[in-house]
Each structure stands twice: as C-alpha cells, then as structure tokens.
Amino acid sequence: NKSGIGTSIEIKVKSISEDKIHEVKELVREYLFTKMTESEIKNFLKIIANTHFGVDWKLGAISLSTQNRKLLGLSGKFALSLKYVAVSLLRISAESDNSSLLKESLKLCLSYGTLLMKENRYKQFLSFFREIKNITNDQENASALDMMAFFQKEIVALRMLSRADEALLVYDSIKDKISSFKNTDKTSVYLNLAFIYEKKKKFNDAKNFAMEVQSLTTKGQSSFEQAQL
C-alpha cells in the first residue's frame, strides 16, 4: 500500500538526525520514492528541508548547522543533500503547477545559491543555477525578481572564474530587464562589468559602467569607491 508506506516514512523522518539523512543512499532514496505518492514525496522533502535549512526556508531565510556548512563542498555525494532537496522541491512544485510551493522553493534556492557565493563556491553555484534555469524556463509563476538575482550572481561567478566572455553573454541576454533589478543587484552587475572591461583594456566601456555604479551609490559606499577606476 503506497499510502501506508509513505506515511510510515513521514512519521519516522520527523525526528531524523542529520547523520541519518547523510547516510541515506541514492538507491534507497529512489526505491522509497517509487513507493510514495507525489504528495508524500513533497511532504517528505519539506521535512528534510526543515532539518537541513531550518523552518523559515519558505521565507528565504536559511540556517545551516555547522555540520551541514562543512559538507557544502560534498553536496553531490549525498542522496538527500542540501542541493538535491532544494532542486527537488522546485522541480516537484513546477511539475505539479503548485504556484505557492514554487515561490517558496525558489526563495530557498536563491538563499542556498547566495550561500554558495558567500563561500566562494562559484563552480557549484553555476552547476546549481543551470538546474534552476532548466526547471523555471517555462514557469510564468517564477518570481522575475528572484530570477534576476540569480542572473546577477551568475555574472559575478563567471567573472570570478575568469570566464568574462560568458559573463558578457549573460548580460546581453538580460540587459533589457536590468531596470527591474533591485538596486543592489544592478550595482553589482555594473561593477563586475566595469572590472571585466578594465581587464580587457576597454577603458571607455569600463568607465561607462563605473559611472553607472556611482550613479546608484553614494561616496563612502564600498561599490562607489571600487568604481573609481
């Protein structure tokens, strides 16, 4: 009975420790999911998300334990890793056309992506964002503001990995939407473009973007000072 199996798993996982979650193997995860309904899988993932990220993940506020923070670099080795849970919640919300869960899980993904960037895990972020884009491409309910924040981080990550030409291509693809960015994201995009063009010795372009940064900031702010190329 699928429902019975799913229910018993859900009850047990409510008190599961992080150690036990990390011990779950991929084959075990896939077998369990074949025995559960879509609704049970969704509830199961929510419970794991509560353990991994804290109960406020739906609001975009995540709190990782010391253990989970240490395991960020090994995320792909765990069947119920932070990345797997965040991406799976987003995917199941998109496939079931659950707009409220889509918004919540997108906020979770953005918070997780922000954490990867703060930890200088640029390659991990780009891999993560590729999956996000694949899921949200046809989703009208995906928050444009959240997606713009992802693109801002993608440009930064590519620059930090010395993949400047790719960063410029990303900018070209979203520059007609730049007015919808939050000021902080817009400032970051322009500042990183200024750095890219300065390194390419295209000083006029660098100066133009630096001036955009200074028009959005005030003297004394870090970004304003950095834009004094």
Side-chain angles (χ1 to χ4, degrees):
N1 178 296
K2 283 188 177 183
S3 181
I5 293 171
T7 303
S8 67
I9 290 169
E10 184 176 325
I11 291 169
K12 289 179 182 177
V13 82
K14 283 182 179 177
S15 60
I16 195 169
S17 69
E18 286 176 4
D19 286 336
K20 295 298 182 185
I21 292 173
H22 293 142
E23 287 172 10
V24 174
K25 304 299 182 187
E26 188 173 340
L27 285 175
V28 173
R29 179 196 72 202
E30 294 307 311
Y31 172 75
L32 291 176
F33 283 4
T34 65
K35 303 296 180 181
M36 298 165 72
T37 65
E38 183 181 279
S39 177
E40 288 166 344
I41 292 172
K42 180 178 66 178
N43 290 335
F44 175 86
L45 289 169
K46 283 182 177 181
I47 293 166
I48 300 297
N50 287 345
T51 303
H52 275 338
F53 300 107
V55 295
D56 290 330
W57 63 264
K58 296 177 182 179
L59 305 174
I62 62 175
S63 177
L64 295 193
S65 68
T66 302
Q67 181 184 12
N68 266 329
R69 192 174 287 271
K70 286 179 179 177
L71 293 172
L72 269 178
L74 300 173
S75 185
K77 294 184 180 295
F78 299 103
L80 291 171
S81 68
L82 304 174
K83 175 185 173 184
Y84 176 84
V85 172
V87 170
S88 295
L89 276 169
L90 186 65
R91 181 176 289 111
I92 202 169
S93 66
E95 290 175 351
S96 61
D97 202 25
N98 186 328
S99 60
S100 60
L101 181 58
L102 181 72
K103 290 174 184 175
E104 293 168 353
S105 53
L106 190 57
K107 286 186 182 299
L108 168 60
C109 288
L110 182 56
S111 296
Y112 178 62
T114 300
L115 177 61
L116 291 176
M117 292 294 290
K118 284 182 179 176
E119 297 282 333
N120 301 328
R121 298 185 181 279
Y122 305 119
K123 288 182 180 178
Q124 274 184 258
F125 171 81
L126 292 174
S127 171
F128 177 60
F129 186 37
R130 273 196 299 273
E131 294 190 56
I132 302 305
K133 283 190 283 191
N134 287 338
I135 295 170
T136 58
N137 268 343
D138 301 318
Q139 292 299 314
E140 294 180 1
N141 289 322
S143 164
L145 206 56
D146 286 342
M147 291 307 296
M148 292 303 103
F150 269 117
F151 283 114
Q152 172 266 322
K153 290 172 182 23
E154 184 180 28
I155 288 171
V156 176
L158 288 167
R159 183 183 76 82
M160 296 304 291
L161 292 170
S162 300
R163 293 162 60 178
D165 289 338
E166 291 175 69
L168 293 177
L169 286 174
V170 172
Y171 175 68
D172 281 343
S173 73
I174 52 93
K175 64 184 178 183
D176 60 330
K177 300 173 184 174
I178 196 79
S179 62
S180 66
F181 278 46
K182 292 179 181 176
N183 265 8
T184 51
D185 291 336
K186 198 185 301 184
T187 300
S188 173
V189 168
Y190 288 150
L191 184 60
N192 277 274
L193 291 171
F195 290 154
I196 286 171
Y197 281 119
E198 183 184 37
K199 191 168 183 179
K200 285 178 169 288
K201 301 189 185 304
K202 294 186 176 181
F203 299 116
N204 284 338
D205 289 326
K207 184 179 178 181
N208 288 338
F209 282 112
M211 289 173 64
E212 292 285 0
V213 172
Q214 293 187 326
S215 73
L216 293 167
T217 54
T218 56
K219 194 171 182 178
Q221 287 186 286
S222 174
S223 295
F224 186 97
E225 303 304 326
Q226 287 178 288
Q228 291 183 324
L229 302 178

